[in-house]
Amino acid sequence: MGDRLHLPALAATLLPVVLGLLTLLPHSILGKPAEEAANAGSSALLQRVKRGWVWNQFFVLEEYTGLEPLYIGKLHSDMDKGDGSIKYILTGEGAGTTFTIDDSTGDIHAIQRLDREVKAQYALRAQARNRLTDRPLEPESEFIVKIQDINDNEPKFLDGPYQASVPEMSKIGTSVIQLTATDADDPTYGNSARVVYSILEGQPYFSVDAKTGVVRVSLADMDRETRENYSVVIQAKDMGGQLGGLAGTTTINITLSDINDNPPMFDQRLYQMSIPESAPVGSVVGRIWAKDRDIGVNAEMRYSIIDGDGRDTFDISTDPTNLFGIITVKKPLDFEKKPSYTLKVEGANINVDPSLRYRGPFKDVTIVHVSVEDVDEPPVFDLPVYYIELPEDAEIGTMLKTVSARDPDAANNTVRYSIERSSDPDKFFYIEITSGSLMTVRWLDREEIGWHNITVLAMEMNNPSQIASVSVAIKVLDVNDNPPSLAHYLEAYVCETAKAGQLIQTVTAVDPDEPLGGQHFYYSLAPEAANNPNFTLKDNQDNTAWILTRRGGWSQQDQTIFYLPIVITDGEQPVQTSTSTLTIRVCSCDQKGNVMSCNAEAYSLPASLSRGALIAILACIFVLLVMILLMLSLRTHRKKPYLCDEEENVHENIVRYDDEGGGEEDTEAFDIAAMWNPREAHNHHLGKMRQDMLPEIESLSRYVPQACVMGGGGGGDSNVHGYVLAKLLEADMDPCAPPYDSLQTYAYEGEGSIAESLSSLQSGTSNTDHEYDYLNDWGPRFKKLAEMYGVEESLLQI
């Protein structure tokens, strides 16, 4: 056994030696015998014209790993005497880089590692030349160096790792995938490229064919629902699988694909669901699911209601995933009529494999119990809409109809009625709150409003949020209550050249009423114009009438306007009659009857007033109005004068300075001279209490010494301080005083005051040197003071 194991190693060691000896064989066999033959030929006077030293091919093993260059073979010419006069030259593929030659001996060596899988052969050319003259001694000859293969490449799966699938429950021997391993070694030489396949992992589920590499199922009834994924490792080994061969592996991830081999099954045998009775049609009650262990299309379901008392009230459909059954409302629900329903629902697979029907019925059944929840519903009217016809001459208070609504709940609450105001903004109607009787409260006029569309509301007494509404359409019926009148033409003209019996106008009438049989108008002249010598009327019996002349010889000088009263009567009951006056002017016409002039001015103006005089009067009135407007405009824009010169009114300004806080209003509202007569304070009634400025007065008066107001203290009547306190108290007690008071605000301005000093008397600079721009920041009350001190006009616009 041990000898058998060492034979391949021994053969691998001796093979390069044997091949090397074979490459040297041409030199040993053809070398010296060639020389002897040449000597013999010379004696026989024979000459050789061909070389006897060149082989067509050299053979060398790949992957030489020795330290010395690999000897390939030897070139030798018959003319080489061994004196070094012959020079051997090697050209072609790899010459000088891969192969070298000894130009004296002709020995060829490989100086690089040779790989058959990179290049299997090299084409080289050899030539012998005279070393001294460089003349070719032999024709150039071509030969091939072939690289012999050794088993140095393992098989490889170039497309691995692989993904494959096979249906679950497949039979033994079912093909899964075919693998192919490639070996870079020479398939024509030995067994280096002969590959054998085997399985390393994946038994006992799968197997592989040793020669073809086809992976097959080796275990029956594999169930995807038990295990879905498998990992299989396949090995490919060269040398026919013998010991010492090279091997490569790959992995196949095999997935069991699903088939419909499992029936669906509901996870509950009884489903309890509920929905309020107010749910609209189409509302979702709930959903059910018949679970299926299969996946994809094999798990798709179709649901149907096959029995139960709710088949007509509910419906079931499949959701977009085709997995769940969705139960919806098909008809309106009413808790008071039926509080619960029972449904028998079936779920069945859509896609069934006929070959697997033996595995059982692919459907299941469950029971669904639906409870209807009671909801406080709004009242329900006995009709969805009401229609009423009413003549327009109906008396106020006429009852039109009684609308009725009831509470559909078991409580049967009392209902109250009302009219939605936006539907009857003019309040033509009224509804009795408890009975629902609808009546009129205003006169109706069909010609004004022919239809009234009102909305009646019904509300539960115990729950005002429950309100129902219904539309009531009221058609106002026509009554012949409007007389006819002339339409469009209330003026006509007659030419001066008109003859007797000539038609000058066709008149028609209009009537706002709309009788069912249509309008029928009758025309006649008023009794006072029945014997009119100028015009006559002819009723055409088609709702029109002609106005005809009775004479000729018309002249504007005699009379320019005629008035013709026409009586128009309609044909309905009660008969309505009206009289309309037709104005007829006498006009001058051309030959075609076109009006040229009717001279209406003479009859609209007095005889003594001409047109020119009227125009002159109107022109004078216009000029007068313009002058008045101009004077008013100039007076408005006239600038008011300032007060007298500042230097002449210094004393007055100083006296009034205490009142500067309120501006001109305060200055004019109070006369400072009154302060010199304190007795006046005792004459005023102090019984009225002022409340509007009391907090401000109290805050400013805290700095005032607490002295007797009514004559207390040493000053008597001359005590201005006491008088001011009296006026302050009066302001507090007076409810009619304005909200501002100069006395209470500025009477004690100065040091110790909240407002501090506002006076400029103590300033060390003159008016010209002192800047008064700060007056602009004090508001409109100080506008007058700012003007007096010469502040710019543009700065006063605050």
Side-chain angles (χ1 to χ4, degrees):
M1 186 67 180
D3 295 340
R4 293 180 62 186
L5 292 174
H6 287 83
L7 285 177
L10 180 61
T13 304
L14 295 178
L15 184 59
V17 178
V18 174
L19 291 176
L21 293 175
L22 290 176
T23 58
L24 297 176
L25 188 60
H27 174 71
S28 62
I29 297 177
L30 298 178
K32 292 181 179 180
E35 293 178 359
E36 294 176 356
N39 294 334
S42 62
S43 62
L45 298 177
L46 295 175
Q47 291 185 348
R48 298 175 63 88
V49 297
K50 293 184 178 180
R51 295 171 294 173
W53 48 269
V54 177
W55 286 359
N56 289 331
Q57 293 186 19
F58 289 107
F59 294 91
V60 61
L61 289 174
E62 65 173 333
E63 303 295 344
Y64 173 70
T65 59
L67 299 177
E68 298 295 331
L70 178 63
Y71 180 74
I72 302 298
K74 185 179 183 65
L75 297 180
H76 186 74
S77 175
D78 295 340
M79 301 177 66
D80 188 357
K81 303 300 182 181
D83 55 1
S85 61
I86 302 298
K87 180 181 179 181
Y88 296 99
I89 299 174
L90 184 66
T91 60
E93 296 177 340
T97 57
T98 303
F99 303 101
T100 61
I101 187 171
D102 189 330
D103 60 356
S104 298
T105 63
D107 293 334
I108 302 174
H109 291 81
I111 60 176
Q112 287 189 358
R113 183 179 178 181
L114 301 176
D115 189 353
R116 188 202 68 82
E117 286 72 39
V118 177
K119 191 170 179 62
Q121 64 182 18
Y122 296 85
L124 297 171
R125 293 182 297 278
Q127 192 175 35
R129 288 178 177 272
N130 188 295
R131 188 178 295 275
L132 296 177
T133 63
D134 199 30
R135 293 179 59 189
L137 303 178
E138 299 284 351
E140 188 178 62
S141 178
E142 185 177 69
F143 65 95
I144 296 175
V145 177
K146 298 193 68 175
I147 311 302
Q148 289 185 323
D149 183 53
I150 65 172
N151 189 19
D152 60 342
N153 291 279
E154 74 278 2
K156 295 181 179 179
F157 295 92
L158 301 180
D159 297 329
Y162 297 87
Q163 302 289 334
S165 65
V166 64
E168 61 176 330
M169 300 296 173
S170 295
K171 296 180 179 179
I172 296 176
T174 302
S175 176
V176 179
I177 190 175
Q178 182 175 12
L179 305 180
T180 301
T182 59
D183 195 322
D185 294 325
D186 189 358
T188 63
Y189 180 77
N191 293 328
S192 298
R194 189 162 70 89
V195 177
V196 174
Y197 300 93
S198 61
I199 184 168
L200 300 182
E201 296 180 12
Q203 303 95 335
Y205 309 105
F206 300 95
S207 62
V208 64
D209 189 284
K211 292 183 179 180
T212 61
V214 176
V215 179
R216 302 180 185 275
V217 176
S218 60
L219 183 64
D221 297 333
M222 287 191 294
D223 191 359
R224 184 201 66 83
E225 288 73 33
T226 302
R227 182 179 176 182
E228 184 175 4
N229 298 308
Y230 296 84
S231 180
V232 179
V233 179
I234 303 296
Q235 174 184 267
K237 189 174 184 181
D238 59 12
M239 298 300 291
Q242 297 179 3
L243 187 63
L246 303 177
T249 61
T250 189
T251 301
I252 311 172
N253 295 315
I254 301 177
T255 301
L256 296 183
S257 59
D258 185 61
I259 63 173
N260 192 7
D261 59 337
N262 293 280
M265 183 176 296
F266 287 101
D267 55 356
Q268 294 180 226
R269 288 301 166 192
L270 176 63
Y271 289 85
Q272 294 285 351
M273 300 180 182
S274 62
I275 186 169
E277 62 175 334
S278 60
V281 174
S283 300
V284 176
V285 180
R287 68 177 189 172
I288 58 176
W289 182 22
K291 295 182 179 180
D292 194 327
R293 298 179 63 195
D294 299 320
I295 60 174
V297 296
N298 297 319
E300 293 182 355
M301 304 295 299
R302 179 185 294 110
Y303 297 91
S304 58
I305 301 175
I306 59 176
D307 200 0
D309 56 2
R311 296 179 62 181
D312 298 332
T313 308
F314 299 93
D315 196 4
I316 189 169
S317 60
T318 307
D319 75 326
T321 63
N322 290 327
L323 296 178
F324 299 94
I326 301 176
I327 300 176
T328 56
V329 178
K330 187 177 180 180
K331 290 183 178 180
L333 303 175
D334 191 344
F335 172 82
E336 287 71 28
K337 291 183 178 179
K338 189 170 180 59
S340 64
Y341 297 86
T342 300
L343 306 174
K344 187 176 183 180
V345 181
E346 178 186 82
N349 280 138
I350 297 177
N351 303 296
V352 179
D353 189 350
S355 63
L356 298 174
R357 290 187 181 274
Y358 69 92
R359 299 186 68 88
F362 289 86
K363 57 185 178 181
D364 197 14
V365 176
T366 189
I367 301 299
V368 180
H369 185 267
V370 182
S371 299
V372 180
E373 298 176 352
D374 188 21
V375 175
D376 190 5
E377 300 173 276
V380 178
F381 286 92
D382 55 357
L383 293 176
V385 64
Y386 291 89
Y387 173 76
I388 302 172
E389 291 184 350
L390 181 69
E392 61 179 326
D393 61 349
E395 296 290 336
I396 294 178
T398 301
M399 191 179 75
L400 309 181
K401 194 177 186 64
T402 299
V403 299
S404 177
R406 63 176 181 84
D407 182 9
D409 299 317
N412 195 18
N413 293 320
T414 304
V415 177
R416 293 292 181 263
Y417 303 92
S418 63
I419 297 176
E420 186 179 19
R421 286 299 93 192
S422 61
S423 65
D424 185 24
D426 297 326
K427 299 182 180 180
F428 283 94
F429 304 96
Y430 167 78
I431 190 169
E432 211 283 322
I433 189 171
T434 57
S435 64
S437 298
L438 190 65
M439 61 188 67
T440 61
V441 293
R442 287 182 58 185
W443 291 104
L444 303 178
D445 188 354
R446 187 203 64 84
E447 287 72 34
E448 182 179 351
I449 302 176
W451 284 86
H452 293 269
N453 295 302
I454 64 174
T455 300
V456 175
L457 304 178
M459 179 186 68
E460 291 185 14
M461 278 289 294
N462 296 338
N463 189 358
S465 63
Q466 297 297 330
I467 301 176
S469 63
V470 69
S471 178
V472 179
I474 303 173
K475 181 180 180 180
V476 181
L477 301 179
D478 185 42
V479 173
N480 191 27
D481 58 347
N482 292 280
S485 61
L486 286 181
H488 308 300
Y489 306 105
L490 295 178
E491 287 193 4
Y493 69 92
V494 59
C495 295
E496 292 179 317
T497 58
K499 305 297 183 181
Q502 183 172 335
L503 173 66
I504 62 172
Q505 183 67 54
T506 300
V507 296
T508 58
V510 293
D511 191 337
D513 297 321
E514 293 181 1
L516 297 177
Q519 298 284 4
H520 298 282
F521 300 122
Y522 304 95
Y523 302 89
S524 62
L525 293 178
E528 62 271 19
N531 298 322
N532 191 311
N534 301 311
F535 304 97
T536 186
L537 182 145
K538 179 183 179 183
D539 191 343
N540 297 321
Q541 302 298 319
D542 59 355
N543 291 338
T544 65
W546 288 351
I547 305 300
L548 305 174
T549 59
R550 278 190 170 184
R551 64 179 179 86
W554 305 92
S555 175
Q556 295 183 10
Q557 300 297 328
D558 297 337
Q559 187 174 349
T560 57
I561 297 178
F562 295 90
Y563 299 100
L564 187 65
I566 301 175
V567 177
I568 307 171
T569 305
D570 58 22
E572 298 297 321
Q573 295 296 328
V575 176
Q576 298 290 338
T577 301
S578 68
T579 301
S580 299
T581 301
L582 180 66
T583 301
I584 304 175
R585 296 182 181 275
V586 179
C587 302
S588 60
C589 305
D590 57 13
Q591 294 180 354
K592 296 182 179 180
N594 298 322
V595 176
M596 297 176 59
S597 173
C598 293
N599 195 21
E601 296 82 2
Y603 295 94
S604 60
L605 297 175
S608 60
L609 188 60
S610 65
R611 182 182 298 178
L614 180 62
I615 294 174
I617 293 173
L618 293 176
C620 292
I621 295 173
F622 177 76
V623 172
L624 183 60
L625 289 175
V626 171
M627 293 179 64
I628 293 173
L629 292 175
L630 183 60
M631 293 175 63
L632 292 176
S633 176
L634 292 175
R635 184 175 182 181
T636 302
H637 290 81
R638 182 180 299 169
K639 191 172 183 181
K640 295 180 180 181
Y642 288 120
L643 295 175
C644 297
D645 184 71
E646 294 178 351
E647 299 297 329
E648 298 177 359
N649 295 278
V650 173
H651 177 73
E652 182 181 358
N653 292 338
I654 293 174
V655 171
R656 298 189 181 184
Y657 190 73
D658 284 346
D659 208 31
E660 64 183 358
E664 293 81 2
E665 296 88 350
D666 290 347
T667 303
E668 295 173 1
F670 181 74
D671 186 5
I672 194 66
M675 295 182 63
W676 304 110
N677 188 12
R679 293 185 179 88
E680 185 181 354
H682 300 284
N683 298 329
H684 290 278
H685 180 65
L686 302 179
K688 297 181 180 179
M689 177 61 67
R690 180 188 177 190
Q691 300 176 359
D692 55 342
M693 291 299 291
L694 184 58
E696 180 180 354
I697 295 173
E698 291 178 355
S699 63
L700 293 177
S701 62
R702 66 179 181 270
Y703 296 96
V704 180
Q706 301 298 320
C708 180
V709 176
M710 301 303 296
D717 293 342
S718 62
N719 188 357
V720 177
H721 173 248
Y723 172 74
V724 171
L725 288 180
K727 299 298 287 186
L728 180 61
L729 181 60
E730 179 186 358
D732 291 341
M733 304 296 290
D734 184 11
C736 300
Y740 53 86
D741 195 326
S742 61
L743 294 176
Q744 67 185 17
T745 304
Y746 298 105
Y748 297 99
E749 62 87 20
E751 295 181 0
S753 171
I754 296 177
E756 297 182 355
S757 178
L758 304 178
S759 175
S760 62
L761 297 178
Q762 298 177 358
S763 62
T765 59
S766 63
N767 292 344
T768 57
D769 297 332
H770 190 71
E771 294 182 0
Y772 295 93
D773 294 340
Y774 58 88
L775 295 176
N776 298 320
D777 301 330
W778 290 6
R781 294 176 180 264
F782 294 90
K783 178 179 179 182
K784 192 67 176 180
L785 189 61
E787 291 178 353
M788 294 173 60
Y789 280 83
V791 180
E792 294 181 8
E793 183 71 21
S794 61
L795 298 178
L796 300 178
Q797 305 300 325
I798 298 174

